[in-house]
Amino acid sequence: MTNDQPTNPLTDIAFTSLDLHPKILDGLAQAKFSRCTPIQALSLPPALEGSDVAGQAQTGTGKTAAFLLVIFNQLLKPESKRHDNHPRSLIVAPTRELAIQIHKDAELLGSQTGLVSGLAYGGVDYDKQRKALQDGVDILIGTPGRLIDYFKQKVYNLRHIEVAVLDEADRMFDLGFIDDIRFLLRRCPKPAERQSMLFSATLSHRVMELAYEHMNSPETLKVEAESVAADHVEQTVYYPANEEKLPLLIGLMRGLEHSHSMVFTNTRAAADKVGRTLNANGIAAAVISGRVRQEKRQKLLKRFHDGEVPVLVATDV
């Protein structure tokens, strides 16, 4: 995780100028974070004062750090205490990969806080995750299905949640999780008795309806168009016939020297076909889809991240 990507421009606002606990500032310094990104500069001042926030920000703009710092600051207050090993903060993410990344960022940025974060997501480590939650976590991060599974087993309760976060809210609707989200939020303290933060690539009507239903008069914050990551990405559109798509893709990959590229498809069958075609043409590619086990998926993602696999083919979910 880095706050200094060229697609993630920094503002002049230093973290040291904000009302953050010294242990949080120590963690930021250790992670080499010094200045806020635009979404952090917008959301942190009101959120640190206790206001609910609904923020529009794309992935890669620093929103994860924004809500993590608010959570850390709240849970480090003297009056905040863990109750019978139940979580004090809930972060709900639409996908396993995002939940895992949020947890990694929480471990990095909260390294000096002493706060314990735990994961709950499907596919792997069922008993291991269950045991960790039973032992007690301060910050519970997970996907809706596994979170509800453990909740119904009474592994934890949500009565002591002080900060609730919904990340990539628009994706929750796209993936059909909205009823699960409402189930979880209704088990938390009432909106006026907790702080809530919501982030989404778009603050559409349905996202804002969710915000007004489960939040306490949230401040709506949007990163200006010129500041979001997409404006720093060169975009090109091609209109090939179906039979021309794979030859075009191979040509493009060879022109890019196929280093650290991602190819998205609509279906698992298409992902498999693209992967086979790229490999057959000497372009090393790994394929991730819903049929790939979570443990293998994480290993493939790590190999791609580390540069061992130059091309990753994936379904859009």
Side-chain angles (χ1 to χ4, degrees), residues 21-33 69 107-113:
H21 192 284
K23 290 182 179 179
I24 299 174
L25 293 175
D26 289 344
L28 286 166
Q30 187 170 307
K32 295 182 170 53
F33 279 40
L69 298 184
E107 296 282 288
L108 173 67
L109 298 179
S111 62
Q112 307 302 307
T113 64

Side-chain angles (χ1 to χ4, degrees), residues 13 37-47 53 219 221-224:
I13 298 177
T37 65
I39 189 61
Q40 292 162 1
L42 278 174
S43 62
L44 281 171
V53 166
E219 291 197 35
L221 306 171
K222 297 182 180 181
V223 175
E224 294 300 321

Side-chain angles (χ1 to χ4, degrees), residues 93-100 121 143-144 168 171-172 175 177 317:
T95 65
R96 304 162 184 171
E97 288 75 21
L98 180 57
I100 292 167
Y121 63 92
T143 52
E168 298 201 356
R171 296 287 286 148
M172 298 293 187
L175 297 174
F177 290 146
V317 174

Side-chain angles (χ1 to χ4, degrees), residues 230-231 233-237:
D231 288 340
V233 177
E234 181 180 342
Q235 302 183 53
T236 305
V237 179

